[in-house]
Amino acid sequence: MKFLVVDGNSVLSRAFYGIRMLSNKKGQMTNGIYGFLITFQKLLSEISPQGVLVAFDLPDPTFRHKIYEGYKLARKGMPDELASQLPILKELLNAMGYSTVSCAGFEADDILGTFATYCEKNGFECVLATGDRDILQLVSEKTTVRITVTKFGKSESIFYDLNKVKEEYGTLPQNLVDIKALQGDISDNIPGVKGIGQKIAKELISKFGSIELIYSNIDKLEIKQSLKNKLIAGKESAYMSYALGKIEKNVPIQINSSKYIPAPMNKEAVRKIMSELEFFSLMEKMDLQSFEIESSVELKQIENMDEFLKKISSKKSLIFLADIQDLKLKSIFIEYLNKVYFVNSNHENFHYFVKSLMELETLEKVTYDLKMLQRSFSLLDIKIKGNQFDVMLAAYLLIPSEKDYSLSRLCKLYQLKAPKITKLEAELAEAEEKAKEVFIISQLTPLLKNQIENNHQRYLLNEIEQPLSEVLSSMESVGFLVDKEKLETYSHELESELSTVESCIYDLAGETFNLNSPKQLSYILFEKLGLPKGKKGRKGYSTDAQTLESLRNHHEVVDGILGYRMLSKLKSTYCEGMMKAIEPDGRIHSSFNQTETRTGRISSTEPNLQNIPIRTPRGKEFRKFFKAPEGCVLVDADYSQIELRVLAHVSQDENMIKAFRNHEDIHSITASEIFSIPLKEVTSEMRSRAKTINFGILYGMGAFSLSQDLKMSCQEAQNYIDKYLSHYYGINEYMNNVIQVAKTDGYVETMFLRRRYLPEINSSNYNLRAFGQRVARNMPIQGTAADIIKIAMINVFRKLKETKSKLILQVHDELIVESPKEDAEKIKDILKLEMENAAPLLVPLEVNVSVGKTWFDAKG
């Protein structure tokens, strides 16, 4: 027989430190378990053992602590993030059918030693898996060791047999403990012999065999007297260290080979645990997908539409899913009395049926992705009336850290099972997947509704997120008109300028090279021109933007390279990218994503109109190509310092509230305080520095980052921060309080109860904990600002329905409306009124509104 014996603590610990922090939606850390399972599955696959045992340490002292009180004294205790994973791993292994063993007074190493000895006596093959090289002393003819390492989600192991140990250490495995007895072990606080290191210890044991032979022949040994004196002085310590390092082989555990033959896996229990851990990719590899067929659901085609409408109108909710392809509505699926009903667009009364359903106000509409539905329905002049429930948006509010809100992912997250679809007709086969999904929606709905209620997020979902989907749908449909000819001309201009800059760079460098090759650029900068080298990666010294910025004053070629990169990005990403995105109507129809950011901000893709560079004159030029059609103008409204105003509100800081209520320049006020000068003496440079500090504090910036931004010492930056927090003492109190709330609750909330979970906030890892604290301070501010802008968008959109004007774009704090020229003043008033009254804050919300023919003109 062949047995695999795993040192559970060792493999788990190395997995924990070898993989970035992972957690499930509840904040439970999972990276150690994930890495352990990767290693464990790999070992099982490579070794194919008949028996498996996983040994674990207990937290109690062992017999080694009785020998030496200082044993492992310097070793830190297991961090909470790792300790919380240990019982879950044991439960999971047991559910998988594997035995886990611990024994009071002994370590997992001793259990491995005991079982290896048992295998030796019975002629069994034994493979020991651990991350600890101490176990190599157990290698024999029948016992081999795999030293496991887990990094970046990948498992590797080094195989040790007798030959490998002899080759690497120059001695027999059983004598490795003698080497340790002499050299000691810092990690376990085993003292060894003072003055003897690894090299001398290995030489002594290689030459003389063991400490027993060394000390029994100490007078005869042909070694330097100074070394002999060290050995004599350290004899007691050597024997104690030997006792500490030697693995016990007679631990009182149950030794019976049949006990460790894996039992049949309890698939339901394993699936439940792994689903809670959100190990879905591993579940697929282990053939444990939660999409197990549990029940059958009948799929029927709707024949009599009037009769079906009459039946379903008596219900409270309509659970449905639409099949939409290229914005065209192909079919609709409805869950009714545990059956799925279906009708496609080929039916002559399809439009009448769908319109009647959607505009029945007494029916709550329960579905997935309202925005896509509304955009498709708008082409058919169909409106969704009555209450609505979008499972995608509800899930986003409940688990904001997810990257995927597909129905298949939500099904796994909530441990649901897709049914088997019973088809009455063969031609309905293509409808089977949609039928499963609509049934999943029906299962998800009560779970999500209950959680939304428990989180007090009904207002956030019903009054902000769901109404916003209609706004975004309209914005996508309308699009933004682009002057394609001018954009093409600008692209040619950039191409010409790129050629000029390229020639200039070659002249300064003294040769031509591939400007887009980091390797060639690195040679030019650091080898040929001899500029100071920065950080080094696998492919050589870095030539990233941060490195180049630090080299600006060393050679004028650096400015040229930075300029080249900027122009190249403008041409490829923005000119060429936007020209490809212009549709036949001359407009760009960007997609707006409601479920991408953890703070609640809206993002834009295909193309990203929110990311057009505006900090450089060249970048600002792009706004000139976005224009209003003939007879119309663009009305641009922008919140003034909305996040700082939200900060004033949530912190209730008296000084900041006073400044905003008096319509004072907050940056100048801040400069006056931190530089200790009268307000009238504040210079533009001082105001700029104060602005950096205002926003730096807002985003959790520390002294080091601030010193880098303002090019000053850390001490000077810290002095500025201290003065700032002394003046705005309410902000300091808020920052401290919100961190405590996050530590206690595990999450922070916006003014409208949008949550962000922060498992990092209680991490023992300083960097992770610091990240959690920064997010805790900032998310309620940035998230509240995002919520306010969404409310403003909804209110503006509703007002604009009474006009011929259209809301066409949102860029963070800015809204853009396309309006007939004659209505511009009216639209300015609507924007200002609705945006400034979107939320009741302790300070006024201020909005700047301007008008222009192009985005550039309107923005000013």
Side-chain angles (χ1 to χ4, degrees):
M1 289 185 72
K2 183 190 292 185
F3 286 87
L4 169 64
V5 189
V6 181
D7 183 342
N9 285 78
S10 176
V11 175
L12 177 67
S13 179
R14 278 155 180 77
F16 174 78
Y17 290 108
I19 296 179
R20 66 181 178 84
M21 286 295 181
L22 300 172
S23 67
N24 65 4
K25 64 178 182 291
K26 295 178 181 176
Q28 168 63 53
M29 289 296 178
T30 61
N31 59 325
I33 304 173
Y34 181 81
F36 182 98
L37 289 177
I38 289 172
T39 300
F40 190 56
Q41 291 296 314
K42 190 168 187 282
L43 289 168
L44 292 173
S45 174
E46 292 175 352
I47 296 167
S48 300
Q50 285 81 48
V52 178
L53 163 66
V54 185
F56 286 98
D57 295 331
L58 291 174
D60 311 316
T62 68
F63 73 91
R64 294 179 177 86
H65 294 89
K66 294 178 182 177
I67 295 173
Y68 178 48
E69 288 184 1
Y71 179 64
K72 291 190 176 181
L73 189 64
R75 187 174 289 191
K76 293 180 180 179
M78 186 182 289
D80 292 342
E81 304 94 309
L82 176 55
S84 69
Q85 299 182 54
L86 193 55
I88 300 172
L89 175 61
K90 290 180 181 179
E91 183 186 1
L92 179 57
L93 287 169
N94 292 153
M96 291 169 71
Y98 300 108
S99 295
T100 57
V101 179
S102 300
C103 187
F106 297 91
E107 298 179 40
D109 284 2
D110 302 317
I111 296 172
L112 269 64
T114 300
F115 203 85
T117 302
Y118 167 77
C119 288
E120 292 273 351
K121 289 178 180 178
N122 289 275
F124 300 147
E125 185 179 345
C126 184
V127 180
L128 306 176
T130 180
D132 190 348
R133 289 177 176 266
D134 289 344
I135 214 75
L136 293 177
Q137 62 183 272
L138 298 174
V139 171
S140 67
E141 292 288 348
K142 288 288 185 179
T143 303
T144 56
V145 170
R146 296 199 179 219
I147 303 295
T148 63
V149 179
T150 306
K151 287 184 178 179
F152 310 114
K154 293 185 178 180
S155 174
E156 298 175 358
S157 59
I158 307 169
F159 174 78
Y160 281 89
D161 57 9
L162 279 171
N163 292 331
K164 174 74 171 175
V165 173
K166 290 176 185 175
E167 178 188 331
E168 188 165 320
Y169 291 93
T171 189
L172 295 171
Q174 60 264 33
N175 294 134
L176 292 176
V177 66
D178 295 272
I179 295 175
K180 176 174 280 196
L182 295 177
Q183 74 176 44
D185 186 341
I186 295 174
S187 65
D188 287 341
N189 201 33
I190 296 175
V193 174
K194 189 175 182 180
I196 294 182
Q198 184 182 53
K199 182 181 178 183
I200 298 300
K202 286 176 72 173
E203 288 175 358
L204 286 169
I205 299 305
S206 178
K207 185 175 182 179
F208 301 111
S210 68
I211 63 167
E212 184 62 39
L213 288 172
I214 288 173
Y215 281 108
S216 61
N217 298 285
I218 192 74
D219 295 331
K220 303 174 186 176
L221 298 184
E222 295 181 2
I223 57 175
K224 291 180 180 179
Q225 188 60 43
S226 59
L227 178 56
K228 189 178 292 189
N229 292 340
K230 290 176 182 177
L231 286 167
I232 293 169
K235 181 178 179 179
E236 185 179 344
S237 180
Y239 276 100
M240 182 186 72
S241 298
Y242 182 89
L244 293 173
K246 186 172 177 60
I247 293 173
E248 176 61 49
K249 298 180 181 179
N250 194 27
V251 175
I253 60 171
Q254 184 179 351
I255 299 290
N256 184 336
S257 59
S258 62
K259 174 180 170 57
Y260 301 109
I261 296 172
M265 179 186 292
N266 183 339
K267 286 193 173 184
E268 281 303 308
V270 172
R271 185 180 293 114
K272 183 176 185 296
I273 297 168
M274 292 186 73
S275 293
E276 287 175 353
L277 295 172
E278 299 170 19
F279 290 168
F280 302 120
S281 60
L282 278 179
M283 289 172 70
E284 289 177 12
K285 290 177 183 177
M286 295 169 64
D287 196 26
L288 286 167
Q289 298 94 322
S290 59
F291 267 61
E292 183 178 285
I293 295 170
E294 186 180 63
S295 58
S296 296
V297 173
E298 191 176 342
L299 175 61
K300 300 186 73 173
Q301 198 157 7
I302 299 171
E303 301 294 342
N304 189 325
M305 292 184 175
D306 287 324
E307 184 181 329
F308 189 84
L309 283 169
K310 186 178 179 181
K311 284 180 180 179
I312 207 160
S313 63
S314 63
K315 290 190 69 181
K316 292 181 179 179
S317 297
L318 169 70
I319 298 174
F320 74 100
L321 187 65
D323 181 11
I324 298 171
Q325 300 171 25
D326 297 326
L327 295 179
K328 293 179 181 177
L329 182 63
K330 296 292 185 180
S331 53
I332 191 164
F333 296 79
I334 299 164
E335 188 275 332
Y336 178 66
L337 299 179
N338 288 319
K339 295 179 182 179
V340 176
Y341 291 83
F342 154 86
V343 62
N344 64 37
S345 57
N346 296 328
H347 198 291
E348 60 179 345
N349 292 323
F350 179 72
H351 181 269
Y352 154 78
F353 176 72
V354 176
K355 188 176 178 68
S356 299
L357 269 178
M358 294 303 120
E359 296 185 359
L360 196 59
E361 295 192 36
T362 55
L363 271 181
E364 179 193 33
K365 313 303 185 301
V366 178
T367 189
Y368 178 88
D369 195 356
L370 274 169
K371 178 168 71 75
M372 178 61 74
L373 278 173
Q374 284 159 331
R375 190 166 175 194
S376 175
F377 285 177
S378 68
L379 299 174
L380 301 170
D381 190 31
I382 295 173
K383 299 186 186 305
I384 304 175
K385 295 183 179 180
N387 294 332
Q388 299 157 16
F389 187 82
D390 185 337
V391 295
M392 181 184 77
L393 293 178
Y396 168 59
L397 297 184
L398 294 169
I399 39 177
S401 59
E402 273 298 308
K403 294 180 180 178
D404 178 9
Y405 294 95
S406 64
L407 281 169
S408 60
R409 174 70 175 176
L410 295 179
C411 189
K412 293 172 182 177
L413 284 171
Y414 285 91
Q415 300 175 42
L416 302 177
K417 296 172 183 177
K420 178 181 178 181
I421 301 299
T422 303
K423 303 177 290 294
L424 295 183
E425 302 148 36
E427 61 265 25
L428 296 183
E430 63 183 25
E432 185 174 352
E433 194 58 37
K434 290 293 179 186
K436 284 183 180 180
E437 289 181 347
V438 78
F439 200 78
I440 289 168
I441 291 172
S442 72
Q443 292 177 292
L444 277 170
T445 299
L447 300 175
L448 298 179
K449 281 187 173 182
N450 185 54
Q451 283 187 281
I452 289 288
E453 286 294 325
N454 290 341
N455 288 4
H456 309 289
Q457 292 178 312
R458 197 189 330 177
Y459 179 86
L460 181 61
L461 177 65
N462 293 346
E463 304 301 325
I464 299 180
E465 290 298 340
Q466 290 183 166
L468 183 70
S469 63
E470 183 185 2
V471 181
L472 299 180
S473 168
S474 172
M475 286 165 54
E476 289 179 357
S477 296
V478 176
F480 206 149
L481 188 63
V482 180
D483 193 324
K484 189 175 181 180
E485 289 184 7
K486 287 186 178 179
L487 185 58
E488 287 175 339
T489 301
Y490 188 59
S491 180
H492 294 314
E493 289 176 12
L494 289 175
E495 189 172 353
S496 175
E497 195 169 342
L498 272 168
S499 180
T500 302
V501 172
E502 193 173 3
S503 297
C504 182
I505 291 170
Y506 294 153
D507 288 343
L508 290 168
E511 64 178 274
T512 60
F513 61 98
N514 183 356
L515 273 164
N516 298 312
S517 165
K519 185 177 179 181
Q520 292 185 34
L521 179 58
S522 179
Y523 166 77
I524 293 293
L525 294 177
F526 307 123
E527 302 300 328
K528 182 173 183 180
L529 299 179
L531 302 186
K533 297 170 182 174
K535 55 188 176 185
K536 189 176 184 180
R538 286 182 299 173
K539 296 183 179 180
Y541 290 100
S542 174
T543 58
D544 62 11
Q546 186 179 0
T547 301
L548 293 182
E549 285 290 344
S550 70
L551 297 174
R552 272 187 183 273
N553 298 327
H554 291 273
H555 199 287
E556 56 186 321
V557 74
V558 177
D559 272 334
I561 294 165
L562 286 168
Y564 176 87
R565 285 186 177 178
M566 182 266 292
L567 293 170
S568 180
K569 184 174 179 65
L570 289 177
K571 185 178 186 305
S572 61
T573 303
Y574 297 103
C575 280
E576 294 171 8
M578 286 198 300
M579 280 192 285
K580 289 177 185 175
I582 298 173
E583 296 191 18
D585 61 359
R587 292 174 177 264
I588 285 179
H589 297 266
S590 183
S591 295
F592 297 98
N593 195 326
Q594 256 178 290
T595 61
E596 187 171 302
T597 69
R598 297 182 184 187
T599 58
R601 276 190 166 188
I602 302 163
S603 64
S604 164
T605 56
E606 299 176 350
N608 184 355
L609 296 184
Q610 296 179 331
N611 204 33
I612 292 174
I614 57 169
R615 295 188 178 181
T616 63
R618 272 306 201 180
K620 282 185 178 180
E621 292 281 309
F622 279 96
R623 287 182 167 174
K624 292 181 178 178
F625 313 127
F626 289 87
K627 63 179 185 178
E630 200 63 40
C632 292
V633 290
L634 300 177
V635 186
D636 187 296
D638 199 351
Y639 275 114
S640 171
Q641 301 167 339
I642 185 171
E643 290 187 359
L644 286 175
R645 294 172 191 272
V646 170
L647 176 60
H649 174 82
V650 300
S651 69
Q652 298 186 33
D653 182 86
E654 293 177 0
N655 289 323
M656 190 170 275
I657 289 172
K658 180 182 175 183
F660 279 124
R661 283 181 173 173
N662 293 338
H663 304 284
E664 295 171 334
D665 179 2
I666 192 69
H667 301 314
S668 294
I669 294 286
T670 301
S672 173
E673 289 300 326
I674 62 174
F675 294 114
S676 302
I677 59 172
L679 186 61
K680 61 183 179 183
E681 294 180 19
V682 171
T683 65
S684 58
E685 183 182 350
M686 289 176 175
R687 183 185 182 279
S688 177
R689 287 193 162 202
K691 183 177 180 180
T692 301
I693 295 168
N694 269 328
F695 287 108
I697 296 291
L698 183 66
Y699 291 102
M701 186 183 287
F704 176 76
S705 297
L706 187 61
S707 69
Q708 297 293 301
D709 278 11
L710 296 181
K711 295 179 173 55
M712 61 173 63
S713 70
C714 275
Q715 185 57 55
E716 192 176 0
Q718 187 60 54
N719 289 340
Y720 284 162
I721 291 173
D722 291 343
K723 284 186 176 181
Y724 179 97
L725 295 177
S726 175
H727 178 64
Y728 298 120
Y729 54 87
I731 293 175
N732 191 30
E733 188 175 334
Y734 160 76
M735 296 294 187
N736 292 328
N737 287 344
V738 77
I739 289 172
Q740 289 306 312
V741 168
K743 285 181 177 179
T744 302
D745 296 343
Y747 60 86
V748 288
E749 290 181 319
T750 69
M751 181 176 162
F752 298 93
L753 305 186
R754 183 185 303 278
R755 288 186 181 184
R756 177 162 181 181
Y757 293 91
L758 293 170
E760 306 90 347
I761 198 77
N762 291 311
S763 174
S764 59
N765 179 291
Y766 172 79
N767 290 331
L768 279 175
R769 191 167 64 252
F771 168 77
Q773 290 174 357
R774 287 196 300 273
V775 174
R777 290 191 291 260
N778 172 252
M779 187 275 172
I781 311 301
Q782 193 177 95
T784 296
D787 290 340
I788 290 172
I789 293 157
K790 287 180 174 181
I791 293 168
M793 290 173 71
I794 294 163
N795 294 342
V796 166
F797 177 76
R798 287 170 176 166
K799 286 285 186 180
L800 293 182
K801 284 184 176 181
E802 303 165 8
T803 72
K804 295 180 180 179
S805 301
K806 301 287 184 183
L807 180 62
I808 60 172
L809 186 63
Q810 182 258 18
V811 181
H812 306 313
D813 306 339
E814 175 186 4
L815 300 183
I816 302 172
V817 173
E818 182 180 286
S819 168
K821 199 171 185 178
E822 61 273 15
D823 292 341
E825 289 303 315
K826 178 183 177 181
I827 300 306
K828 282 175 66 176
D829 291 341
I830 289 174
L831 280 165
K832 194 168 180 65
L833 178 68
E834 297 302 335
M835 291 175 73
E836 290 185 345
N837 290 282
L841 301 186
L842 295 172
V843 297
L845 286 169
E846 291 188 2
V847 174
N848 301 314
V849 189
S850 52
V851 179
K853 183 65 181 174
T854 69
W855 189 4
F856 184 90
D857 298 331
K859 187 63 180 173

